[in-house]
Amino acid sequence: MQNYDSSDRYLKNLDDGNREIALTTDDLHVAYGTHEAIHGVSLGFERFKITALIGASGSGKSTYLRSLNRMNDNIAGTKVTGKIMYRGLDINGDNIDVYEMRKHIGMVFQQPNPFAKSIYENITFALKRHGEKRKDVLDEAVERTLKQAGLWKQVKDDLHQSALALSGGQQQRLCIARAIAMKPDILLLDEPASVLDPVSTATVEDTLMELKKDYTIIIVTHNMQQAGRISDYTAFFHLGDALEYDETRKIFTRPKIKATEDYVSGHFG
Ligand SMILES: Nc1ncnc2c1ncn2[C@@H]1O[C@H](COP(=O)(O)OP(=O)(O)OP(=O)(O)O)[C@@H](O)[C@H]1O
Ligand SMILES: [Mg+2]
């Protein structure tokens, strides 16, 4: 835990260089075939904070987020160059056990995607695959993660019912519970509430606010009110670059760059 790169060069817009940084990207480029979608992005994400990635459709938010736990590896023809530093290790390097790394850096997608299995099995699936067989450990993980995801009270008596019988908002909270079952350090979320109704969205937001005590959270959102409500920092993506990165309240009240102001104000309008 001593090896976090806490240099402030990645937080050049922030006031104070003494923040603990959980993850950085250094000149990260991502290309799909000959089309470069990310043009050299250097950002550092502060530990136990929520950072929102905002920007117009096609600006590269999902591409960037996916690269942070090597999900772009799964897309043929994709080339990711530059460093992604996590605990002193370049996780974009060749000798990384990606499967192992994803235990530390988990992901939740836009569309709730529970397995067609019970609530209990959804949460314990990865633990079992990693060899955990002890029932008390599995039971504890189910209770802990469902509590953290704000779903325990609603499902504690139905743990063996199908996850597909849950509402969309409940399914998304189950996916968050599943993602934290491996006790990751960092949680990546790509528009996790965009398909949810306002009430479910609020519950997911409450969940994230609760989780940031224990996790570093990076979230893509199109919803400016949501970014304003839950995030500590915001990075504004524009045409494959992170144009501006600062405390969320500054991005929303005193952005330094006109493109940021146009985007943020347009969406508040
Ligand atoms: N699998 C892919 N193959 C080829 N090009 C892609 C792929 N995914 C994204 N792109 C391209 O990369 C660029 C960035 O797309 P990306 O999905 O990262 O944007 P985004 O900011 O997440 O947009 P949205 O807000 O609509 O989700 C776009 O030009 C897009 O067409
Ligand atoms: Mg996207």
Side-chain angles (χ1 to χ4, degrees):
M1 295 304 233
Q2 299 303 313
N3 289 334
Y4 285 98
D5 180 355
S6 57
S7 112
D8 67 354
R9 74 180 269 227
Y10 301 99
L11 293 169
K12 50 189 178 303
N13 297 321
L14 304 178
D15 302 327
D16 146 20
N18 290 325
R19 302 164 202 254
E20 191 183 9
I21 303 302
L23 184 76
T24 64
T25 66
D26 186 358
D27 197 26
L28 194 80
H29 293 254
V30 184
Y32 297 107
T34 54
H35 171 68
E36 188 176 86
I38 293 291
H39 311 303
V41 169
S42 301
L43 294 174
F45 299 98
E46 190 179 342
R47 197 160 164 73
F48 301 140
K49 299 285 183 193
I50 299 181
T51 301
L53 310 182
I54 65 167
S57 188
S59 58
K61 305 176 299 292
S62 297
T63 298
Y64 179 77
L65 189 80
R66 277 201 302 271
S67 66
L68 300 180
N69 75 343
R70 302 271 298 254
M71 283 290 172
N72 287 322
D73 287 13
N74 304 345
I75 304 175
T78 307
K79 188 157 183 254
V80 182
T81 57
K83 285 190 179 146
I84 304 172
M85 298 304 292
Y86 171 69
R87 296 191 178 180
L89 202 66
D90 177 10
I91 58 166
N92 198 35
D94 289 335
N95 299 323
I96 294 298
D97 179 342
V98 171
Y99 188 63
E100 193 64 26
M101 176 271 288
R102 287 189 189 141
K103 285 201 286 191
H104 301 270
I105 307 177
M107 191 152 196
V108 174
F109 299 91
Q110 180 170 15
Q111 204 74 37
N113 59 349
F115 307 131
K117 293 173 183 290
S118 71
I119 293 169
Y120 188 95
E121 285 172 285
N122 263 272
I123 294 171
T124 55
F125 183 79
L127 288 163
K128 286 183 186 164
R129 253 177 65 177
H130 280 89
E132 186 56 69
K133 294 194 182 70
R134 290 168 294 177
K135 185 171 179 307
D136 57 330
V137 173
L138 297 172
D139 287 352
E140 185 278 328
V142 169
E143 182 167 343
R144 170 179 60 83
T145 60
L146 285 173
K147 279 183 174 162
Q148 282 190 305
L151 195 57
W152 174 249
K153 282 194 187 132
Q154 290 164 57
V155 302
K156 66 178 168 33
D157 298 321
D158 300 305
L159 295 176
H160 298 286
Q161 76 160 349
S162 170
L164 303 181
L166 298 172
S167 73
Q170 290 174 327
Q171 287 188 11
Q172 195 60 303
R173 277 179 286 152
L174 176 63
C175 291
I176 292 172
R178 186 178 63 186
I180 60 182
M182 297 302 293
K183 297 193 177 161
D185 235 10
I186 299 175
L187 205 51
L188 310 174
L189 305 108
D190 195 347
E191 301 191 60
S194 68
V195 298
L196 305 181
D197 64 71
V199 174
S200 303
T201 297
T203 60
V204 169
E205 287 181 9
D206 289 345
T207 299
L208 297 178
M209 296 296 282
E210 204 40 47
L211 288 178
K212 80 168 175 173
K213 290 201 298 267
D214 300 311
Y215 302 91
T216 302
I217 296 176
I218 307 170
I219 178 173
V220 171
T221 179
H222 270 127
N223 180 327
M224 294 302 99
Q225 282 86 352
Q226 178 169 75
R229 277 193 296 267
I230 67 172
S231 70
D232 302 285
Y233 297 108
T234 296
F236 172 62
F237 277 70
H238 184 66
L239 303 175
D241 280 306
L243 270 198
E244 188 163 357
Y245 180 40
D246 213 328
E247 288 171 26
T248 296
R249 62 187 172 84
K250 289 190 190 156
I251 291 282
F252 284 141
T253 55
R254 279 173 283 130
K256 295 191 179 85
I257 295 175
K258 175 94 172 42
T260 315
E261 186 178 355
D262 288 348
Y263 182 77
V264 167
S265 59
H267 280 69
F268 267 132

